[in-house]
Amino acid sequence: MKQLKFIILFIAFISCKDNSSQQEPGNQRAETISMKYAQGFSIKSYEGYKILEVATPWPGAKEPFKYLLHSANSTIPDSIDFDEKLEIPVKNIVVTSTTHIPALEALGLENKLSGFPGTRYISSEKTRKLVDSGEVHELGQNENINTEILIDLSPDVVVGFSIDASNKSLEKIKKTGIPVLYNGDWTEKTPLGKAEWIKFFGVLFDKNEEAEKIFDDIETSYLKAKELASLSKTKPVVIAGSMYNDKWYVPYGNSWQAQFIKDANASYLYADTEGEGSLALSFESVLDKAGNADTWISSGQFESYAQLTENSVHYDKFKAVKDKEVYTVSLSKGATGGVLFYELGPQRPDLILKDLITIFHPDLLQDHENVFFKPLN
């Protein structure tokens, strides 16, 4: 699930603080850290404790989750309602998505990770060393986490994700008494919105300022690259996505993926579409619309033109294939085969954008070495 949740999909400025007085628990004044890009969570800080609210743990969620994060020996008003209570800073954590790992590493907290379901998907060299040395324990499958091992690890918290309100594995963990927090980074629709979720982990470890600084640097890098791309006088026509079974799945025009293409100053052929997930189309309709596209990005699991044509000789009808302008993220992998894009990409949208700029506008960013997007072999 950790890799798959972005594949079909193709698969922020520093937070402003509002110190205005509000009617809050215990009549305290709250300091609200408002997110500039992220829509799915918020943080309110009080004396001795914080309220972390996750509004969109999954698409269409009816109710938010409210988490009470408190320092040791702090006084908590009795009037506060919460779904989980957690002492911070956290000392021992379990996460369940590879997208959570880059945030921990950026904050210098990878050694706080004690377990993960599906360690083979982890690509980062830092965390892979911890896995190989036995410091990060295998917890089985995300849909069926081994609770016996989890209880032995005794983490302060499990950070999970869910595609809907029914997640039996996480509910089972809650019954053991281990706090479970939902992370909805994957529901964000903008590149910087996803990256801003580093502040979610920052607040768990009392590293709010560090998280804000890291995000500020990412945002600055992204916006500078976007501005540079806008100076190009050329605007290549782009097709994205790939075939799966008998359908070609392309990102909707209001998606995270499409935003990268727009910000890289290219013309995405399905930019006028809107929806959730991906648009499923027939091969014939994509060929008719995108046969003359200049560039094809995110070409599924294909790593070479030989694999592409072995799958279907009809791919040769695309101009991008004839001109050898097809790019994939499947060539950048970790030691055990995990695709780096699905782990690091959401946390580093600036690197994704720079990759695409070098593809669409080769005269720009000539010193940038592509991290995720590579040409097919």
Side-chain angles (χ1 to χ4, degrees), residues 148-195:
E148 290 185 5
I149 297 177
L150 185 67
I151 291 170
D152 286 342
L153 294 177
S154 189
D156 295 331
V157 63
V158 173
V159 174
F161 70 92
S162 183
I163 60 172
D164 54 36
S166 176
N167 191 309
K168 294 180 180 178
S169 183
L170 294 181
E171 290 301 321
K172 184 177 179 182
I173 293 171
K174 285 184 181 181
K175 292 178 180 178
T176 69
I178 299 172
V180 174
L181 274 58
Y182 283 97
N183 180 294
D185 59 358
W186 66 282
T187 67
E188 297 287 342
K189 292 185 177 180
T190 64
L192 290 173
K194 289 182 185 290

Side-chain angles (χ1 to χ4, degrees), residues 74-243:
S74 59
T75 301
I76 310 298
D78 294 334
S79 58
I80 297 180
D81 293 324
F82 53 84
D83 293 287
E84 291 284 7
K85 183 178 179 181
L86 180 65
E87 183 177 320
I88 56 173
V90 168
K91 298 178 179 63
N92 176 1
I93 192 171
V94 164
V95 301
T96 58
S97 171
T98 56
T99 62
H100 303 157
I101 289 173
L104 294 179
E105 290 192 353
L107 291 164
L109 298 168
E110 63 273 8
N111 62 340
K112 303 296 184 182
L113 180 66
S114 60
F116 187 86
T119 54
R120 69 186 182 279
Y121 291 113
I122 296 175
S123 299
S124 165
E125 291 183 8
K126 280 186 179 181
T127 305
R128 281 237 59 84
K129 288 180 180 179
L130 296 175
V131 172
D132 295 341
S133 66
E135 294 177 65
V136 175
H137 298 262
E138 174 61 63
L139 294 175
Q141 298 180 347
N142 213 342
E143 298 77 12
N144 190 25
I145 292 174
N146 189 318
T147 52
E148 290 185 5
I149 297 177
L150 185 67
I151 291 170
D152 286 342
L153 294 177
S154 189
D156 295 331
V157 63
V158 173
V159 174
F161 70 92
S162 183
I163 60 172
D164 54 36
S166 176
N167 191 309
K168 294 180 180 178
S169 183
L170 294 181
E171 290 301 321
K172 184 177 179 182
I173 293 171
K174 285 184 181 181
K175 292 178 180 178
T176 69
I178 299 172
V180 174
L181 274 58
Y182 283 97
N183 180 294
D185 59 358
W186 66 282
T187 67
E188 297 287 342
K189 292 185 177 180
T190 64
L192 290 173
K194 289 182 185 290
E196 198 164 18
W197 278 77
I198 191 172
K199 297 175 186 178
F200 174 100
F201 289 99
V203 75
L204 297 184
F205 291 92
D206 257 351
K207 287 184 173 287
N208 308 302
E209 292 184 3
E210 293 93 330
E212 290 187 0
K213 175 61 167 62
I214 292 166
F215 175 72
D216 186 43
D217 290 344
I218 292 170
E219 184 209 24
T220 299
S221 176
Y222 188 97
L223 294 180
K224 284 183 177 179
K226 178 182 175 181
E227 177 64 23
L228 180 63
S230 72
L231 302 177
S232 177
K233 295 180 180 180
T234 62
K235 196 169 186 177
V237 177
V238 177
I239 178 63
S242 61
M243 291 290 292

Side-chain angles (χ1 to χ4, degrees), residues 6 21 23 38 41 101 115 124 130 175 244 258:
F6 288 119
S21 180
Q23 291 297 319
F41 77 111
I101 289 173
S124 165
L130 296 175
K175 292 178 180 178
Y244 182 75

